Amino acid sequence: MDLFSMSWHPDSGWSTPFPPLDGAKTLVLAFGSGSLADDPTPIRELCAAFPSATVIGCSSAGEITGDTVTDGSLAVSVVRFEHTRIRLVSEKVADAGESYDVGFSVAKQLTAEEPDLRAVFVVSDGLQVNGSPLVAGLAAGAGPGVIISGGLAADGDRFERTWVLIDGEPRSGHVTAVGLAGPHIRVTTGSRGGWDIFGPRRLVTRSDGNILSELDGQPALELYKRYLGERAAGLPATALLFPLAIWTPEAPDRRVVRTVLAIDENAQSMTFAGDVPVGSTVQLMRASLDRLIDGASDAASQTATDLPPGALTVAVSCVGRRLILGGRTEDELEAVLSGLPPQSHLVGFYSYGEIAPIVTGTCDLHNQTMTLTSFWETGDEDSSADE
């Protein structure tokens, strides 16, 4: 497996010439600024350099290359596999209510084309898709034993427009996924947060999918603003500083975290990246800088199990973490690299939602986590991929 990482910046152009790695078994990962939808010249240059490769990518709230995060740029990793087969499937999402069906369809297409599918890496529009049913559909369509990871595209803290790459062009309202198949591909994942809960638990008394209307019978937005105080003027961006921990009746011992994507002043409701079911209990969360960095280190330790030197690791971290870390954002990336083997390639993006397995192995949507997916190949045809 050959690996090469590079980046593009509007002031300096490409950091290095394109490597001669094009081919049917080459995967190109590209994460870039939302503004590239208006002028996708560097994306077109990248696709022209790899006409036979599979190119997947999305907009971000910060582009990750190694221990550096930048804005207004394009972070790229080129992977030429020796044995692994690659398949790409994309679908348009007309509205959030189609999220489950689109996820199921994408996964089913991949499994139909590749019966020995081992892993799926997915990127999705971050505003027009409900991440919870999308991930549930992907998991149902792929079936057990397929590792699913990825994230929701972002648009900094603006929440106006996100894109994923479709036929080499940045487009909104789409989901795209790459499937990796064959006996040689290996994948491990890690996902950790570092947030602490505070305040009283409250009951979700009215919601519709990912739209939360009432907590304890009170308008959700009104209650949330009380906690934010003067920071409420910066909604929805300032809500990233105080996500919700959620416990559902079906899994009262398993906590997921949800972050706000939009607010509706008239309805006094809040739209989250994933579902907030009626009957769930929620609690506000906050974080210290050191706890977030420790969480990133823990995610690296989790994914580094059996990871050889020189593997590719894709980082998908939440925009909320970056807003809190501020000038210490790169400390989070340094913590990840410190926990990975030598010569590891790290590329990725800050997102509106992270997709990865939880401890039990079931894939789920996460918010406010550092999520890592590591890829490598072995030459042993008889061994099985990690699950």
Side-chain angles (χ1 to χ4, degrees), residues 198-237:
F198 74 100
R201 283 200 180 193
R202 297 186 181 277
L203 181 68
V204 177
T205 49
R206 187 158 67 93
S207 68
D208 182 9
N210 63 334
I211 301 175
L212 173 62
S213 298
E214 288 185 359
L215 292 170
D216 291 342
Q218 303 176 57
L221 182 57
E222 176 185 318
L223 189 61
Y224 202 86
K225 283 182 174 181
R226 283 188 224 156
Y227 280 98
L228 288 184
E230 61 184 25
R231 285 175 167 166
L235 284 168

Side-chain angles (χ1 to χ4, degrees), residues 120-360:
V120 173
F121 185 82
V122 59
V123 291
S124 165
D125 185 290
L127 297 174
Q128 300 180 38
V129 173
N130 184 343
S132 293
L134 172 69
V135 174
L138 286 164
V146 177
I147 299 171
I148 302 171
S149 63
L152 306 185
D155 180 34
D157 61 359
R158 294 174 292 275
F159 299 92
E160 295 174 356
R161 175 184 60 177
T162 67
W163 55 259
V164 301
L165 290 180
I166 303 295
D167 297 326
E169 295 289 331
R171 301 188 187 281
S172 299
H174 287 77
V175 174
T176 185
V178 61
L180 303 174
H184 300 276
I185 186 66
R186 301 289 179 267
V187 180
T188 57
T189 62
S191 183
R192 290 291 187 269
W195 296 76
D196 297 313
I197 56 177
F198 74 100
R201 283 200 180 193
R202 297 186 181 277
L203 181 68
V204 177
T205 49
R206 187 158 67 93
S207 68
D208 182 9
N210 63 334
I211 301 175
L212 173 62
S213 298
E214 288 185 359
L215 292 170
D216 291 342
Q218 303 176 57
L221 182 57
E222 176 185 318
L223 189 61
Y224 202 86
K225 283 182 174 181
R226 283 188 224 156
Y227 280 98
L228 288 184
E230 61 184 25
R231 285 175 167 166
L235 284 168
T238 49
L240 295 169
L241 306 176
F242 298 96
L244 288 184
I246 299 177
W247 294 265
T248 64
E250 296 78 17
D253 297 325
R254 182 169 69 87
R255 184 183 75 188
V256 295
V257 181
R258 292 288 175 258
T259 193
V260 177
L261 295 180
I263 62 172
D264 187 329
E265 293 283 1
N266 292 328
Q268 285 291 290
S269 65
M270 308 165 69
T271 300
F272 288 79
D275 284 348
V276 186
V278 170
S280 301
T281 55
V282 304
Q283 204 164 2
L284 282 167
M285 305 186 77
R286 60 190 170 193
S288 70
L289 303 187
D290 289 339
R291 287 272 287 130
L292 292 180
I293 293 168
D294 288 343
S297 179
D298 292 343
S301 297
Q302 186 181 8
T303 196
T305 304
D306 300 324
L307 188 65
L312 170 66
T313 297
V314 181
V316 183
S317 188
C318 185
V319 58
R321 298 172 68 87
R322 188 179 181 198
L323 290 176
I324 288 179
L325 287 167
R328 294 192 64 188
T329 298
E330 292 182 349
D331 291 352
E332 174 175 64
L333 304 180
E334 291 174 1
V336 169
L337 284 171
S338 296
L340 297 176
Q343 292 85 51
S344 291
H345 288 247
L346 184 68
V347 68
F349 67 104
Y350 282 84
S351 74
Y352 285 170
E354 306 82 61
I355 298 169
I358 55 178
V359 176
T360 59

Side-chain angles (χ1 to χ4, degrees), residues 69-156:
V69 59
T70 53
D71 295 296
S73 63
L74 191 64
V76 175
S77 190
V78 182
V79 190
R80 183 170 65 184
F81 293 105
E82 184 176 357
H83 307 287
T84 302
R85 300 186 305 280
I86 307 169
R87 294 291 182 270
L88 184 72
V89 173
S90 301
E91 285 205 12
K92 185 172 178 57
V93 182
D95 62 68
E98 297 180 355
S99 299
Y100 180 92
D101 292 339
V102 167
F104 186 84
S105 174
V106 165
K108 274 298 184 184
Q109 290 178 66
L110 289 173
T111 55
E113 294 177 2
E114 298 292 351
D116 59 347
L117 185 70
R118 300 299 178 91
V120 173
F121 185 82
V122 59
V123 291
S124 165
D125 185 290
L127 297 174
Q128 300 180 38
V129 173
N130 184 343
S132 293
L134 172 69
V135 174
L138 286 164
V146 177
I147 299 171
I148 302 171
S149 63
L152 306 185
D155 180 34

Side-chain angles (χ1 to χ4, degrees), residues 7-32:
S7 61
W8 173 88
H9 297 268
D11 295 332
S12 55
W14 289 102
S15 60
T16 183
F18 296 116
L21 297 177
D22 187 39
K25 289 182 176 166
T26 296
L27 173 64
V28 180
L29 298 161
F31 308 112

